Amino acid sequence: MVKQINVNIKALESMLFIWATLKDRQKIADEFYINLAASPEMQVAYDEDFDQNGFRKVLSAISNNELMSVASQKEKRFWNNNMWMLEDLSITERMLAPIKTLNLDKGRALLPETIPYQTMEVVFYPGTTELCMLKKDKLYINFFKVNVNIFDEEEEAKIDGKPIADFILKKLADAR
């Protein structure tokens, strides 16, 4: 039975720093990108088409105002997603605000008692094309899949057309 659901936004906090710094046309040492790329929160994003080096390469290219001429489809998507965040940081903040205040305590009662974990973790990270992945007691959600209505600031942020908490609880219910 799930007794606690933690929300992990460590990778997003680092990305907020990166986006704000790049928006101000400041430089970031590659070491910062390398450390973030190696963080546990980012490991789920990697496969044969996008790895830690691709993560660093994309952010370094953005920092240096370079296009990604030789890149995999996932690297190009990651480049595009990050450029989108840099266009208007207020939209990024609107995407992040409901995640920062996310409280899933009430929803725990809706989860099946057969889930074998007492504590579960929801990890938001900057991904490429994937929506989310459930790995044992951790649900990884690609932050770039959070949707806000740019024309209606009052409308609730969603993931895959569902309110964020509803989406998360539905995915956590599948934990085994």
Side-chain angles (χ1 to χ4, degrees):
M1 176 179 211
V2 178
K3 295 183 179 180
Q4 185 175 5
I5 302 171
N6 299 319
V7 178
N8 179 335
I9 60 170
K10 291 177 190 172
L12 291 185
E13 289 171 343
S14 294
M15 291 305 297
L16 278 177
F17 167 77
I18 290 169
W19 295 324
T21 302
L22 294 178
K23 182 86 171 166
D24 290 340
R25 300 194 190 283
Q26 301 293 317
K27 292 289 183 187
I28 298 173
D30 267 2
E31 188 68 29
F32 188 84
Y33 299 140
I34 292 167
N35 288 337
L36 177 57
S39 71
E41 292 80 14
M42 289 303 305
Q43 298 310 303
V44 73
Y46 305 136
D47 60 19
E48 63 278 351
D49 295 323
F50 184 71
D51 59 15
Q52 290 182 22
N53 188 51
F55 178 91
R56 182 209 52 79
K57 180 173 75 173
V58 168
L59 292 175
S60 186
I62 293 170
S63 177
N64 294 323
N65 293 317
E66 299 170 353
L67 294 176
M68 297 291 300
S69 56
V70 179
S72 71
Q73 282 301 110
K74 286 189 173 185
E75 288 171 339
K76 290 176 183 177
R77 175 65 64 93
F78 190 65
W79 184 89
N80 194 42
N81 287 341
N82 279 280
M83 294 302 289
W84 171 51
M85 292 294 105
L86 292 172
E87 281 182 30
D88 187 349
L89 290 178
S90 69
I91 292 175
T92 306
E93 281 297 330
R94 285 188 49 219
M95 292 168 65
L96 189 58
I99 295 168
K100 285 182 174 180
T101 59
L102 193 58
N103 185 342
L104 299 167
D105 287 340
K106 291 179 186 172
R108 279 182 305 147
L110 302 174
L111 294 174
E113 290 188 22
T114 56
I115 293 176
Y117 309 107
Q118 289 191 10
T119 302
M120 297 193 77
E121 184 175 24
V122 179
V123 180
F124 285 89
Y125 70 99
T128 56
T129 57
E130 66 286 348
L131 174 62
C132 68
M133 283 177 252
L134 182 62
K135 294 191 173 202
K136 296 186 179 181
D137 62 340
K138 291 182 180 16
L139 174 63
Y140 295 88
I141 300 174
N142 181 352
F143 174 69
F144 296 128
K145 299 298 183 176
V146 174
N147 295 313
V148 294
N149 185 336
I150 61 172
F151 303 109
D152 183 0
E153 291 185 18
E154 300 301 316
E155 188 176 322
E156 184 176 10
K158 297 178 179 174
I159 301 174
D160 203 28
K162 299 172 189 69
I164 293 173
D166 293 350
F167 175 85
I168 290 170
L169 293 169
K170 184 174 183 332
K171 293 297 180 182
L172 288 177
D174 294 334
R176 301 287 172 247

